[in-house]
Amino acid sequence: MSNRTFTIIKPDSVRKGNFGKIIGRLEEQGFQVLGIKKVSLTQKQAEAFYGVHRERPFFKSLVEYMTSGPVYVAALERESAVPTLRQVMGATDPAKADAGTIRKEFGESIEQNAIHGSDSDENAKIEINFFFAESELL
Ligand code: IDP
Ligand code: MG
């Protein structure tokens, strides 16, 4: 499973027409898209997906943001997929992200930061399974 990770092209990116540019970046970095779908997260889905942050002060706002418009969810494949995606995304706060990263270029704020990426192989598996059946990954 270490060659797979999971991403969400977040609502701000979709609204601004940055979906194709961000997917292009990922392809340039050697990621293959195993499965992708456009979805509107329900409040329950967003709360469950970000359940680890339930007690954080930004949780309610995060759920509102993630349900504010459609997103693309995708399963990605590449060698060292999880750490490579985290590098290509950049730091959570776009203002602190390295030059050339997706969040630096496309993120608005520490909340509206363009893209999600799994933080471990274990969570990548959980997050892929949240949205995809194995038969949908090609
Ligand atoms: P990550 O997306 O870089 O893994 P996490 O700490 O897992 O960052 O936070 C999940 C998401 O919650 C972030 O991507 C961002 O959208 C939002 N978030 C994180 N920290 C803050 C904050 O301090 N204020 C507002 N939103 C935040
Ligand atoms: Mg995280």
Side-chain angles (χ1 to χ4, degrees):
M1 209 54 191
S2 65
N3 56 345
R4 286 183 178 181
T5 191
F6 172 79
T7 190
I8 303 179
I9 313 299
K10 292 184 173 182
D12 53 315
S13 297
V14 178
R15 263 194 293 275
K16 289 190 280 184
N18 289 333
F19 162 69
K21 288 172 227 166
I22 292 173
I23 287 290
R25 289 289 192 90
L26 298 176
E27 286 191 317
E28 276 167 21
Q29 295 297 324
F31 287 97
Q32 296 286 333
V33 178
L34 299 179
I36 188 162
K37 49 182 106 170
K38 191 177 192 183
V39 297
S40 284
L41 296 180
T42 64
Q43 182 164 335
K44 276 188 176 165
Q45 280 178 313
E47 286 173 355
F49 186 84
Y50 282 114
V52 65
H53 296 306
R54 198 170 286 272
E55 303 305 324
R56 308 285 282 279
F58 58 82
F59 181 71
K60 188 165 175 275
S61 176
L62 173 60
V63 169
E64 278 171 19
Y65 158 52
M66 290 301 293
T67 58
S68 69
V71 300
Y72 289 86
V73 297
L76 303 175
E77 183 174 70
R78 206 207 100 122
E79 193 184 317
S80 303
V82 166
T84 303
L85 178 59
R86 297 291 308 193
Q87 267 177 22
V88 170
M89 280 168 33
T92 306
D93 183 353
K96 295 179 182 158
D98 289 343
T101 60
I102 291 171
R103 282 170 163 172
K104 184 68 165 189
E105 188 153 339
F106 300 109
E108 293 261 329
S109 66
I110 192 168
E111 179 180 79
Q112 306 212 1
N113 58 5
I115 185 171
H116 166 84
S118 306
D119 63 5
S120 67
D121 289 348
E122 187 191 2
N123 284 334
K125 185 172 181 174
I126 291 167
E127 292 173 359
I128 289 170
N129 291 340
F130 195 94
F131 290 102
F132 295 95
E134 189 60 36
S135 60
E136 295 178 295
L137 304 177
L138 307 172

